């Protein structure tokens, strides 16, 4: 058993005692006993929520068509789709109406299962796929003969799910991790040979950078991308010569980010070079892609962030983000003329669907809003016509006209206007503060939380809730500057934006502080911890899911996965200025003797992104220092990781538990 003695951290003359440091030893029986005891306590404290959780779960099932099929995708002369069957947890992969891979068979007898990749070979005779059985980030790669529906002998263990084919249908390129679980190598595997014979193609030793391999839509090239949060470098290889040498497009230069695709005799390069904060599109000849040959195709725009492009033979699709809304613009490759895909609702999301075929003029895209279910369209880019391929069914008589979605703007402490996306039933009382509400936020890594439809949220709306998303700084909803203004020494803007969003909802009469529940996960869990320390009076409940709450200690420990690569997101606490700033908001370090709202905290024993001990020690410190006796619960998934339990029914039950807790916080019992 680990000796439970305090661990002292001394940095920049500041000595802090971490009395819960022993929790890191997951092989210590006392650690598992501690987590099991917490689970037992949570189960006892929420026993009264069992009927409500079951009611919510049944409502979820009642809205979702349990036996269903995704819109088929044409690829390499075949139609691919996935099927879900009522009563089964996992998807069934189908080609031309024949089952080629059944995830339920792979998951049989396992407590956890996740399919991490499924990529057909260029001739579509084989498919490489990845599996995981514990919720960690490690993945085993296997290869299936699609005609015979059986696996080859090739198994590449404990790597990543990033894998692509060369043109010869027998060579794979995949990314492997170092001890800190950073993808740092690209290997080449030839089918029929042992993994021990695989060839190292590329290695990145700078711990800030991660490597990734992909195949161009045209199929002609493989790209090896090397990325940190601030800097990029891309190498390319002719996919028909898998044993050839990688060639560099542009050497890394701190702060220069770019990505590459192939179109005809040119590379298309999305770049922030020369002050293009929101990025621009350049082209370079395949024969000479060095920066001196780059030529502008689409210029930088202050009002829209260019996220990247998708390519078809005659068209370039620009993927953009503006005013907290994802959108698509289509450019004719020959003339350069551009048009935006028009949509019926302002607060909505338009995103790319699967478009694996290069030689097509039909674009698959997905449209949805907080009231319009996910709708898959095929747009003919030549004629401009579009066909609704499928709208996700919502059973039980759902009528979108009975709900309202609106955009609100909160004013942050420094005057910035923070967008919120809201949805509620038309008969919900708005204006007097009587409605309960959930406010969701994330605000890190330039991740956008788009206004999208959720059949699960309907269970809240039908009980009178307002559901709101705060598009706070640190995310990418308002362009690259929105992200930059919520990281490093500006990170506190993320938290104060969320507080301003909550205050706006209360001030506008959408809800009251007693009836407002805050919700966020991972880096959004950090958000929850920070705002509840600063303004516990503003919330009637908090859902902190797999929260990153021990910021300083984690960022000081370079042996922990992700830490070094995260220096360009949070800063390096070895720098005294960053240390002091991070310590000023780190949730664990700022727990104080005050009353906190009811809180549900979750974690996973196999989480390799936010280690389980962070939420566990945070809850322990909260219990020691708070001045109230409101529910403070920790729930640990002992057989899962960052994404929670696997299987659709298990994930629905977990969400039903979250919502039951939120309903209980505001006094709703059925």
């Amino acid at each position: 058993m680990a000796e439970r003695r305090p661990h002292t951290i001394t940095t920049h003359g500041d000595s802090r005692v971490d009395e819960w440091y022993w929790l890191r030893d997951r092989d210590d029986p006392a650690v598992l006993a501690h987590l099991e005891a917490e689970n037992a306590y949570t189960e006892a404290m929420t026993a009264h929520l069992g009927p409500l959780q079951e009611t919510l779960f049944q409502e979820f099932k009642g809205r979702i068509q349990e036996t269903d099929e995704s819109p088929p995708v044409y690829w390499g002369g075949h139609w691919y789709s996935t099927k879900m069957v009522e009563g089964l947890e996992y998807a069934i992969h189908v080609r031309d109406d024949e089952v080629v891979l059944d995830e339920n068979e792979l998951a049989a007898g396992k407590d956890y299962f996740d399919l991490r990749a499924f990529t057909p070979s260029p001739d579509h005779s084989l498919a490489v796929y990845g599996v995981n059985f514990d919720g960690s980030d490690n993945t085993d790669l296997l290869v299936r003969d699609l005609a015979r529906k059986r696996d080859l002998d090739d198994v590449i263990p404990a790597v990543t799910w990033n894998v692509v084919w060369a043109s010869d249908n027998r060579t794979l390129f995949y990314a492997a991790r170092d001890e800190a679980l950073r993808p740092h190598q690209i290997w080449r595997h030839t089918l029929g040979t042992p993994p021990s014979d695989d060839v190292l193609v590329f290695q990145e030793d700078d711990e800030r950078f991660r490597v990734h391999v992909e195949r161009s839509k045209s199929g002609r090239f493989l790209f090896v991308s090397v990325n940190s949060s601030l800097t990029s470098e891309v190498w390319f290889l002719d996919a028909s010569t898998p044993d050839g040498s990688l060639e560099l497009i542009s050497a890394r230069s701190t702060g220069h980010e770019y990505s590459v695709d192939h179109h005809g005799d040119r590379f298309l390069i999305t770049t922030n070079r020369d002050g293009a904060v929101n990025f621009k599109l350049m082209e370079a000849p395949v024969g000479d892609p060095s920066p001196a040959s780059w030529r502008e195709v689409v210029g930088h725009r202050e009002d829209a962030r260019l996220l990247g492009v998708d390519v078809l033979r005659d068209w370039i699709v620009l993927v953009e983000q503006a005013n907290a809304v994802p959108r698509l613009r289509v450019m004719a490759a020959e003339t350069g003329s551009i048009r935006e895909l028009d949509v019926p609702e302002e607060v909505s999301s338009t995103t790319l669907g699967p478009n694996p075929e290069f030689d097509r003029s039909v674009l698959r895209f997905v449209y949805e809003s907080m009231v319009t279910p996910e709708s898959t369209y095929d747009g003919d880019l030549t004629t401009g016509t579009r066909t609704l391929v499928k709208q996700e069914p919502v059973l039980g008589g759902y009528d979108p006209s009975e709900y309202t979605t609106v955009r609100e703007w909160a004013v942050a402490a420094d005057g910035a206007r923070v967008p919120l996306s809201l949805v509620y039933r038309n008969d919900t009382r708005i204006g007097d503060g009587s409605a309960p509400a959930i406010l969701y936020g994330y605000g890190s890594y330039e991740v956008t939380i788009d206004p999208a439809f959720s059949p699960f949220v309907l269970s809240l709306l039908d009980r009178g809730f307002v559901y709101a998303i705060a598009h706070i700084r640190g995310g990418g909803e308002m362009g690259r500057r929105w992200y930059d203004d919520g990281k490093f020494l500006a990170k506190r803007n993320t938290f104060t934006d969320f507080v301003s969003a909550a205050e706006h909802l209360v001030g506008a009469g959408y809800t009251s502080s007693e009836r407002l529940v805050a919700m966020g996960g991972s880096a959004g869990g950090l958000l929850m911890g920070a705002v509840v320390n600063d303004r516990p009076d503003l919330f009637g409940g908090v859902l902190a899911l797999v929260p990153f709450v021990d910021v300083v200690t984690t960022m000081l420990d370079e042996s922990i996965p992700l830490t070094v690569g995260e220096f360009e997101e949070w800063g390096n606490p070895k720098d005294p200025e960053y240390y002091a700033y991070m310590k000023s908001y780190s949730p664990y370090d700022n727990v104080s003797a005050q009353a906190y709202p009811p809180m549900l905290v979750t974690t996973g024993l196999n989480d390799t992104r936010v280690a389980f001990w962070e939420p566990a020690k945070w809850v322990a410190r909260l219990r020691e220092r708070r001045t109230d006796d409101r529910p403070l619960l920790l729930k640990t998934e002992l057989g899962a990781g960052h994404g929670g339990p696997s299987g659709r029914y298990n994930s629905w039950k977990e969400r039903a538990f979250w919502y039951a807790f939120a309903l209980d916080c505001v006094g709703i019992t059925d």
Side-chain angles (χ1 to χ4, degrees):
M1 180 180 293
E3 184 179 355
R4 299 190 189 181
R5 60 184 180 185
H7 177 78
T8 301
I9 301 171
T10 302
T11 304
H12 311 304
D14 178 18
S15 294
R16 299 180 298 125
V17 176
D18 182 358
E19 64 270 38
W20 292 96
Y21 197 82
W22 64 276
L23 270 172
R24 289 180 178 229
D25 186 1
R26 60 182 294 156
D27 295 325
D28 178 4
V31 173
L32 185 59
H34 176 79
L35 298 176
E36 289 176 335
E38 287 285 354
N39 280 354
Y41 175 74
T42 296
E43 185 176 354
M45 291 293 291
T46 58
H48 66 290
L49 299 180
L52 178 55
Q53 180 185 2
E54 180 61 22
T55 296
L56 291 167
F57 174 67
Q58 292 301 329
E59 288 176 8
F60 297 168
K61 290 183 65 177
R63 290 193 195 97
I64 297 172
Q65 187 165 298
E66 295 182 64
T67 297
D68 201 5
E69 186 172 3
S70 68
V73 175
Y74 186 75
W75 191 4
H78 301 277
W79 290 96
Y80 288 87
S81 63
T82 57
K83 286 185 177 180
M84 301 299 297
V85 176
E86 183 174 355
L88 298 181
E89 291 276 9
Y90 302 99
I92 298 170
H93 296 259
V94 176
R95 186 176 76 174
D96 300 333
D97 294 325
E98 291 188 1
V99 174
V100 292
L101 185 75
D102 187 340
E103 294 183 31
N104 299 281
E105 294 178 356
L106 300 174
K110 308 293 185 181
D111 293 331
Y112 183 95
F113 174 77
D114 190 13
L115 186 78
R116 297 279 176 82
F118 182 80
T119 306
S121 58
D123 67 359
H124 290 259
S125 64
L126 306 170
V128 60
Y129 68 97
V131 295
N132 173 270
F133 298 105
D134 64 5
S136 70
D137 282 344
N138 283 327
T139 302
D140 296 341
L141 297 178
L142 301 92
V143 179
R144 172 150 298 201
D145 184 318
L146 294 178
R148 296 182 174 87
K149 302 173 190 176
R150 67 186 185 193
D151 291 341
L152 307 184
D153 293 334
D154 298 75
V155 178
I156 306 171
V159 289
T160 75
W161 55 86
N162 176 209
V163 57
V164 298
W165 291 92
S167 298
D168 61 3
N169 302 293
R170 61 188 300 270
T171 304
L172 293 169
F173 289 81
Y174 63 90
R177 303 179 189 274
D178 61 14
E179 292 183 356
L181 302 184
R182 174 182 65 99
H184 74 305
Q185 294 174 331
I186 301 298
W187 290 81
R188 185 177 71 235
H189 173 77
T190 302
L191 296 185
T193 65
S196 58
D197 290 346
D198 289 356
V199 177
L200 179 63
V201 174
F202 187 92
Q203 178 165 314
E204 176 55 51
D205 293 325
D206 189 328
E207 293 180 279
R208 297 172 300 167
F209 288 82
R210 303 159 69 88
V211 301
H212 180 84
V213 61
E214 60 186 320
R215 183 182 171 94
S216 66
K217 171 79 74 69
S218 66
R220 181 176 167 185
F221 292 103
L222 304 180
F223 296 112
V224 173
S225 301
V226 190
N227 299 292
S228 74
S229 294
L230 297 174
T231 305
S232 306
E233 183 175 86
V234 180
W235 300 72
F236 69 98
L237 173 68
D238 190 317
S240 65
T241 57
D243 57 350
S245 299
L246 292 169
E247 297 182 59
L248 179 63
I249 289 183
S250 177
R252 70 189 70 174
S253 175
T254 300
H256 180 211
E257 300 173 62
Y258 71 100
S259 59
V260 183
D261 208 333
H262 169 244
H263 187 268
D265 59 358
R266 61 180 174 168
F267 290 127
L268 293 174
I269 303 159
T270 305
T271 174
N272 67 348
R273 193 175 75 166
D274 300 328
V277 176
N278 278 333
F279 291 73
K280 60 186 176 181
L281 184 64
M282 309 286 280
E283 66 178 6
V286 167
D288 178 18
S290 63
S293 300
W294 293 11
R295 186 184 70 84
E296 185 174 290
V297 178
V298 178
H300 172 261
R301 299 176 63 190
E302 287 289 342
D303 63 343
R305 163 77 157 95
L306 178 62
L307 300 174
V309 299
D310 195 9
V311 295
L312 302 174
R313 185 190 61 191
D314 298 322
W315 308 91
I316 310 298
V317 183
L318 308 174
V319 182
E320 299 181 343
Q321 184 81 24
N323 286 318
V325 169
R327 66 187 190 189
L328 302 176
R329 293 197 301 154
V330 179
M331 179 174 68
E334 183 174 347
T335 67
S337 63
I338 299 175
R339 69 176 186 272
E340 185 172 341
L341 290 184
D342 60 292
V343 296
E345 299 167 282
E346 178 185 1
V347 185
S348 60
S349 299
T350 308
T351 55
L352 285 172
N355 291 281
E357 287 280 314
F358 178 78
D359 193 18
R360 283 173 66 83
S361 61
V362 175
L363 179 73
R364 173 72 55 89
F365 67 94
V366 178
Y367 172 82
E368 62 185 313
S369 75
M370 297 182 83
V371 300
T372 302
E374 181 180 292
S375 306
T376 300
Y377 287 90
D378 278 346
D380 189 312
L381 301 182
T382 302
T383 65
T385 60
R386 63 183 63 174
T387 302
L388 178 63
V389 179
K390 180 181 181 180
Q391 184 173 81
E392 288 301 313
V394 184
L395 308 183
Y398 172 70
D399 182 353
S401 68
E402 296 178 354
Y403 301 82
T404 296
T405 182
V406 297
R407 169 60 50 79
E408 290 279 338
W409 296 86
V411 179
D414 62 357
R417 298 179 73 236
V418 180
L420 292 88
S421 298
L422 278 65
V423 63
Y424 51 85
R425 275 184 64 101
N426 298 342
D427 56 4
T428 299
R429 292 176 60 184
I430 301 297
D432 63 2
S434 63
I438 281 186
L439 179 61
Y440 181 86
Y442 188 77
S444 293
Y445 303 107
E446 204 180 1
V447 170
T448 64
I449 306 299
D450 300 322
F453 183 80
S454 169
F456 309 112
V457 168
L458 293 177
S459 287
L460 299 173
L461 306 184
D462 289 347
R463 288 172 171 82
F465 267 75
V466 174
Y467 188 88
I469 302 169
H471 303 290
I472 51 184
R473 281 177 283 187
E477 288 91 338
M478 300 286 285
R480 171 50 70 88
R481 288 188 175 91
W482 199 247
Y483 168 52
D484 290 338
D485 286 346
K487 64 183 296 191
F488 287 145
L489 298 175
K491 188 61 197 172
R492 275 195 165 274
N493 286 336
T494 300
F495 316 135
T496 55
D497 282 1
F498 191 85
V499 168
S500 296
E503 291 175 333
H504 179 83
L505 292 178
V506 172
Y510 281 103
T511 188
S512 64
S513 57
E514 296 81 7
R515 310 210 78 195
L516 176 59
V517 177
M519 180 178 178
S522 194
L526 162 63
L527 170 69
M528 296 298 100
V531 300
V532 82
N533 278 336
D534 288 347
R535 289 295 308 276
D537 60 301
L538 194 50
F539 306 100
V542 173
L543 293 165
L545 313 174
V546 291
F548 173 43
V549 285
D550 191 16
V551 181
V552 176
T553 305
T554 292
M555 294 305 296
L556 282 169
D557 189 345
E558 297 184 11
S559 70
I560 294 176
L562 304 182
T563 290
V564 174
E566 301 285 278
F567 287 159
E568 293 184 351
E569 177 73 23
W570 312 100
N572 188 341
K574 292 178 181 177
D575 180 324
E577 184 179 19
Y578 279 99
Y579 177 84
Y581 189 78
M582 294 164 73
K583 189 181 176 185
S584 76
Y585 68 74
S586 174
Y588 177 72
D589 292 298
N590 289 280
V591 173
S592 62
Q594 61 181 343
Y596 285 85
M599 298 172 64
L600 171 63
V601 182
T602 70
T603 186
L605 185 62
N606 299 327
D607 194 338
T608 52
R609 301 188 188 185
V610 178
F612 69 89
W613 59 74
E614 289 199 37
K617 63 186 283 192
W618 180 49
V619 168
R621 176 161 284 188
L622 281 163
R623 290 221 182 98
E624 290 174 345
R625 298 188 178 181
R626 64 181 179 151
T627 61
D628 65 277
D629 60 356
R630 297 186 181 103
L632 174 55
L633 309 176
L634 174 67
K635 184 175 185 290
T636 303
E637 291 293 334
L638 299 176
H642 199 63
S646 69
R648 59 172 174 167
Y649 295 116
N650 289 332
S651 66
W652 297 354
K653 289 176 182 176
E654 181 72 0
R655 184 175 294 270
F657 180 65
W658 303 343
Y659 286 2
F661 180 84
L663 290 165
D664 193 48
C665 288
V666 299
I668 298 177
T669 58
D670 56 18

